[in-house]
Amino acid sequence: MVALLMAAPLVAGCASPAWDDADYGSKAGATAEAAASSVALVRLAVENEARLTRPYLQTLLTETATELGGVDSQFGAVQPPSQAAVAVRAEITGLTSEAAERVRALLNEVRLREIRDPGKAAADLAALGDRLRAFAGEQPS
Amino acid sequence: MKRFLAVTLGILTAIGGFVDIGDLVANALVGSRFGLSLAWVVVVGVVGICLFAEMAGRVAAVSGRPVFDLVRERLGPRAGLLNLAASFGINLLTLAAEIGGAALALELATGIDYLLWVPAVGLVAWLVMWRVRFETMERVFGLAGLALVVFLVAFFALDPDYGELGRQLTHNPSDDGAATYWYYAVALLGAAMTPYEVFFFSSGGVEERWTRRDLGVMRANVFVGFPLGGLLSIAIAACAATVFLPQMIEVGTLGQMVLPAGLAFGQIGLALVIFGVFAATFGATLETALSSGYSISQYFGWQWGKYVRPREAARFHATLLVSTIVAVALILTTIDPIKVTEYSLVLSAAALPLTYLPVLMIANDPDYMGDRVNGRLSNTLGTLYMILLLLVAVAAIPLMLATKAGQ
Amino acid sequence: MTGRVLHAHLHLLDRQVVRADGRLLCKVDDLEIETGEVPYVTAILAGPLALGPRVGGVIGRLMTGTTRLFRPEEGPAPPRVPMSLVAEIGGAVTVGGDVPEASLERWVRDHLVDPLPGSGGGQAGAGAPRPVRRSEVPVRDRLSSLVGRRVVDRDGGPVGQVADVQLTQDGPLLGETTQALRLSGLVVAPRHTGQLFGYERGPGGNSPALVRVVIRRLHQGSRFVAWEQIGDAGDPIRLTEPRAALLPLEELFTRGDASASA
């Protein structure tokens, strides 16, 4: 709930109607940047998971998962202006849902006990973050 | 120890201005986006608030008149009412945000949804205002808020790249446009100089029954409290610039902004910082709620203050109660507490010059001040800041619209 | 002996009224004046019925309207504090004697604050008996009705608007020792430029130069009208002398520094 509200400005910034390909692309780029930022933050927390408290991790991950999920569904709702844009949309929604999925999985692990393999989780998140940044770099700004 | 306790009013006031819920997140966001390149704004803000709080405190000590008395007296009933409407609006919105902030801190500590904590926070805040003596209140929450010093210690423990941070002092590391940079500059300055700080500080002086003899204590409050608040605010930005900026992480929530303390000191650091955030937001809750009571009572001439029994200041206490209930209701609509403080910036723009001009005038009026009128330095600086505040008042809303509130 | 010279706006209106024991009572929302042969201030008026007309506009009407709604009597008047009770005029106005508190304060206390635990009060409604509202007080003029009025000179040429009213403490005796504040003159500004902020007149040696310059500029050409120069105090106020015979304000305060700061 909290995170949904906090994501509201982010969503509002990304989901206003897009007119042309360049515009659509830059919005997709901004969305990817925001998602990469969230993923990097989760990675920081996961790397240091042993030193943080459980309620804190839980709150932080819930917040991020909702934020990522919100961005994903909101962006999917914008009509792409062209065939090329459809491909862009497929790529960005694929990446953000993967991110949301991963964070949700981590959240479940925290809820149950603790993160099983923080090292691997962090590495996966780092790789995903790199892909998001690379995607953002390809888009017109 | 007694000496030290005497400055808690200044500390509590400054915490409400510099590190309340909106600023906790804004400072971290600024640090993660602009590094230390906006630290100069905090310094400008600290000088400004020291200047005007000292004047307001001096007027309160010498003549016994708090700031909103001065606003009404010098601006007259119409402009005074405009200022009251703006200030009261800011207070109420900020109060709602602070209650939400204290509840968010409790969520971070317990994992229980913040909305469940909101009514409890509201109730406890009201009970404190209803029953607890002013001095006790100011000491407990002023000192507890100092737990945020953990950000300063964490900054050094995080082994920062001093060279890079030093470079950021003069070079903006962000590739965002100039409008965004200046939007945050205005927001930080507005936060440093929010009018409710001088309402609270001068009314607090009257609550503590300051007289001419307490001018030294008053100045100690000003020159310890506000620079400390500014230092905390820079420490938060510096932590974010160290941890988040190199990773290109943009901070936007309370949960994210406390992470550096956790990274530096583990669970103890996290516990301390969450405690500090709670104390600061709860202190700011009291500050804004009381300020709403002070400003409206002082405009209409009602008996106010915690130095009399509640029944002798019935309308004042009724205002506190109603404001708290409205603020709790507002935050229970699930409106984002941090966003709320951004909107209060719009109201601040109108209230800033309308608050500080009367203070500057009366600090020069021998009728009130006798031989304690402003010196040349206060007047020169005061005039410069009046010009600056007018610029801020004019620029705030266009910048907010142009940057979609800093996005 | 010349009496103390005050300016209504600068020294009295909108100041806090304080009881002798330090408790706060109300604001000087307006002043009631007796407009006879020697016009003088008779009482301080307080509350929304006095403040509303000064605020003006929709909000002012709303203030007075709401208050009227809750007052039972026909054509209610604002509570007044007779000037004979005023002990001191400084940063606040101190009054002695037994002045009843505002009815809203009483109502809020009886119905909201006292019932709450820990209010420091006894039983609800156990306080002093309700004061009887005296309504035999004749309706008199208010000082604020003078402010903003147009002023024309002997030949009907415009002089400006009333910006402030000068009061001199040499009027008829109120009570035993205090003399009433007599209306002794008007400060007339050439255009509607709002408050004078006191920077017009005061000796104010060390006030911020820039603020002073701005306000002086706004009020350039302001004049002082002695009460004796007024022919007809209607609307507009007609003077008995031509505009050129009026004293410019600057001269007033260079001449009368000593008495103004007394």
Side-chain angles (χ1 to χ4, degrees):
Chain A
M1 200 63 217
V2 192
L4 191 76
L5 284 162
M6 305 216 162
L10 192 78
V11 170
C14 303
S16 37
W19 296 283
D20 57 34
D21 271 12
D23 216 18
Y24 196 81
S26 84
K27 277 191 204 310
T31 309
E33 276 294 346
S37 158
S38 301
V39 168
L41 192 109
V42 172
R43 182 176 56 78
L44 259 186
V46 168
E47 277 170 355
N48 297 277
E49 135 322 303
R51 313 183 62 202
L52 303 173
T53 62
R54 230 176 68 167
Y56 173 72
L57 264 181
Q58 209 173 304
T59 313
L60 191 68
L61 290 178
T62 315
E63 218 168 79
T64 321
T66 327
E67 201 173 290
L68 284 167
V71 169
D72 181 26
S73 63
Q74 287 290 325
F75 195 82
V78 181
Q79 189 63 41
S82 70
Q83 208 53 44
V86 172
V88 168
R89 180 171 77 171
E91 197 171 346
I92 177 68
T93 49
L95 283 169
T96 50
S97 12
E98 188 183 338
E101 206 49 53
R102 262 181 210 284
V103 175
R104 237 174 270 133
L106 286 171
L107 177 60
N108 281 335
E109 288 179 29
V110 173
R111 278 205 185 118
L112 288 174
R113 243 178 86 82
E114 55 179 9
I115 296 172
R116 264 166 304 193
D117 188 352
K120 182 176 175 301
D124 287 350
L125 286 168
L128 182 58
D130 288 344
R131 277 160 64 204
L132 279 162
R133 298 247 193 245
F135 172 81
E138 287 163 17
Q139 302 307 319
S141 57
Chain B
M1 193 62 197
K2 187 135 179 88
R3 282 249 165 126
F4 182 71
L5 285 178
V7 300
T8 46
L9 175 63
I11 295 175
L12 181 59
T13 311
I15 282 176
F18 285 90
V19 286
D20 68 319
I21 181 66
D23 297 317
L24 284 169
V25 179
N27 281 313
L29 175 73
V30 161
S32 73
R33 272 174 83 163
F34 303 102
L36 286 184
S37 61
L38 279 163
W40 65 271
V41 179
V42 177
V43 177
V44 172
V46 168
V47 173
I49 188 68
C50 281
L51 183 71
F52 285 102
E54 194 272 338
M55 284 185 217
R58 186 151 37 91
V59 175
V62 172
S63 73
R65 301 269 64 83
V67 166
F68 224 92
D69 270 20
L70 313 184
V71 169
R72 163 91 192 258
E73 198 264 298
R74 257 324 104 113
L75 296 182
R78 275 159 164 273
L81 192 63
L82 176 67
N83 188 353
L84 179 68
S87 308
F88 198 79
I90 298 171
N91 280 330
L92 204 59
L93 286 178
T94 317
L95 172 60
E98 304 305 340
I99 292 176
L104 283 173
L106 290 171
E107 172 174 340
L108 288 179
T110 59
I112 298 170
D113 195 294
Y114 82 108
L115 286 175
L116 293 175
W117 289 108
V118 166
V121 171
L123 180 68
V124 174
W126 176 73
L127 280 174
V128 169
M129 291 186 284
W130 180 246
R131 288 298 288 172
V132 178
R133 276 176 58 233
F134 192 87
E135 278 89 353
T136 317
M137 178 191 93
E138 135 206 327
R139 282 178 187 172
V140 169
F141 295 102
L143 292 180
L146 286 182
L148 284 177
V149 170
V150 70
F151 272 112
L152 193 61
V153 190
F155 168 67
F156 292 109
L158 284 167
D159 194 19
D161 177 352
Y162 292 104
E164 167 60 18
L165 289 176
R167 205 187 62 83
Q168 286 171 4
L169 286 176
T170 48
H171 294 87
N172 174 9
S174 156
D175 51 4
D176 293 320
T180 321
Y181 179 84
W182 287 105
Y183 170 76
Y184 281 107
V186 165
L188 286 182
L189 187 68
M193 299 193 69
T194 37
Y196 62 74
E197 285 174 281
V198 286
F199 300 157
F200 184 73
F201 185 68
S202 65
S203 305
V206 177
E207 297 257 26
E208 291 189 8
R209 299 180 183 278
W210 282 349
T211 61
R212 267 166 191 271
R213 258 172 297 154
D214 300 306
L215 283 174
V217 177
M218 181 279 287
R219 294 213 169 95
N221 269 287
V222 170
F223 295 116
V224 172
F226 294 107
L228 192 66
L231 185 66
L232 290 179
S233 130
I234 291 179
I236 292 170
C239 278
T242 306
V243 173
F244 299 125
L245 182 67
Q247 311 261 9
M248 295 199 286
I249 299 172
E250 267 189 31
V251 186
T253 70
L254 193 64
Q256 297 167 351
M257 70 80 58
V258 299
L259 187 60
L263 298 185
F265 300 121
Q267 303 199 343
I268 294 173
L270 204 55
L272 256 178
V273 77
I274 292 173
F275 174 74
V277 167
F278 175 76
T281 48
F282 195 79
T285 304
L286 299 174
E287 178 172 346
T288 48
L290 285 168
S291 290
S292 66
Y294 290 146
S295 55
I296 200 166
S297 303
Q298 287 162 15
Y299 177 85
F300 288 109
W302 303 341
Q303 173 68 53
W304 52 271
K306 290 171 56 53
Y307 63 94
V308 293
R309 286 179 305 167
R311 70 186 309 268
E312 281 165 20
R315 287 172 292 186
F316 170 71
H317 274 281
T319 311
L320 296 185
L321 180 60
V322 172
S323 308
T324 312
I325 292 173
V326 170
V328 165
L330 198 63
I331 216 69
L332 283 179
T333 60
T334 73
I335 180 174
D336 175 4
I338 291 157
K339 269 282 157 203
V340 164
T341 54
E342 273 177 10
Y343 295 114
S344 64
L345 177 72
V346 181
L347 292 167
S348 275
L352 281 172
L354 285 181
T355 302
Y356 291 117
L357 184 64
V359 173
L360 180 62
M361 284 175 163
I362 293 200
N364 275 299
D365 190 332
D367 263 11
Y368 279 83
M369 305 302 291
D371 57 345
R372 293 294 186 173
V373 290
N374 270 358
R376 195 176 285 273
L377 179 70
S378 294
N379 275 337
T380 313
L381 278 176
T383 312
L384 287 177
Y385 269 90
M386 277 318 300
I387 297 172
L388 182 66
L389 291 177
L390 281 172
L391 286 178
V392 167
V394 172
I397 296 170
L399 276 175
M400 184 171 186
L401 295 177
T403 61
K404 290 186 193 147
Q407 278 180 37
Chain C
M1 188 199 93
T2 50
R4 182 183 179 192
V5 176
L6 295 174
H7 288 87
H9 248 294
L10 184 61
H11 295 108
L12 265 175
L13 283 174
D14 299 311
R15 296 226 174 179
Q16 182 71 44
V17 180
V18 181
R19 290 180 202 267
D21 63 2
R23 278 181 300 150
L24 310 174
L25 187 66
C26 59
K27 288 277 173 185
V28 182
D29 285 323
D30 209 340
L31 294 168
E32 185 190 73
I33 50 177
E34 169 68 59
T35 48
E37 189 65 20
V38 182
Y40 65 96
V41 180
T42 50
I44 291 168
L45 300 176
L49 288 177
L51 180 62
R54 287 186 63 214
V55 172
V58 179
I59 297 173
R61 280 202 297 278
L62 211 63
M63 266 183 184
T64 41
T66 329
T67 314
R68 287 223 175 86
L69 208 62
F70 290 103
R71 292 274 293 266
E73 66 266 44
E74 196 74 21
R80 54 196 295 282
V81 181
M83 285 304 280
S84 57
L85 295 178
V86 171
E88 199 199 324
I89 299 173
V93 178
T94 315
V95 296
D98 183 27
V99 185
E101 62 189 348
S103 45
L104 180 63
E105 175 83 7
R106 172 178 297 275
W107 188 91
V108 172
R109 173 183 311 147
D110 288 349
H111 293 89
L112 180 71
V113 171
D114 267 351
L116 293 168
S119 62
Q123 295 297 306
R130 244 184 129 75
V132 181
R133 210 182 285 281
R134 284 169 293 231
S135 53
E136 77 273 19
V137 178
V139 177
R140 291 208 184 96
D141 278 349
R142 295 184 187 177
L143 189 119
S144 64
S145 68
L146 281 175
V147 176
R149 229 182 255 187
R150 258 175 355 105
V151 179
V152 295
D153 70 358
R154 188 186 56 189
D155 315 314
V159 179
Q161 299 192 346
V162 178
D164 205 341
V165 179
Q166 192 198 53
L167 308 169
T168 308
Q169 195 159 22
D170 59 0
L173 273 179
L174 296 169
E176 280 142 38
T177 51
T178 36
Q179 284 188 292
L181 291 166
R182 180 176 64 87
L183 277 63
S184 53
L186 303 173
V187 174
V188 182
R191 19 174 204 274
H192 180 73
T193 38
Q195 296 271 16
L196 287 157
F197 294 116
Y199 280 90
E200 277 290 292
R201 303 155 275 207
N206 68 337
S207 46
L210 187 69
V211 178
R212 197 170 55 214
V213 166
V214 168
I215 292 168
R216 284 260 165 86
R217 175 58 62 88
L218 281 173
H219 294 281
Q220 219 166 29
S222 295
R223 313 232 151 208
F224 177 75
V225 176
W227 201 261
E228 295 74 36
Q229 293 174 311
I230 297 175
D232 168 24
D235 191 7
I237 296 172
R238 188 174 284 275
L239 307 181
T240 55
E241 301 197 33
R243 183 173 194 274
L246 298 172
L247 199 60
L249 205 54
E250 290 83 2
E251 279 177 43
L252 176 75
F253 74 79
T254 48
R255 197 194 52 182
D257 260 5
S259 62
S261 59

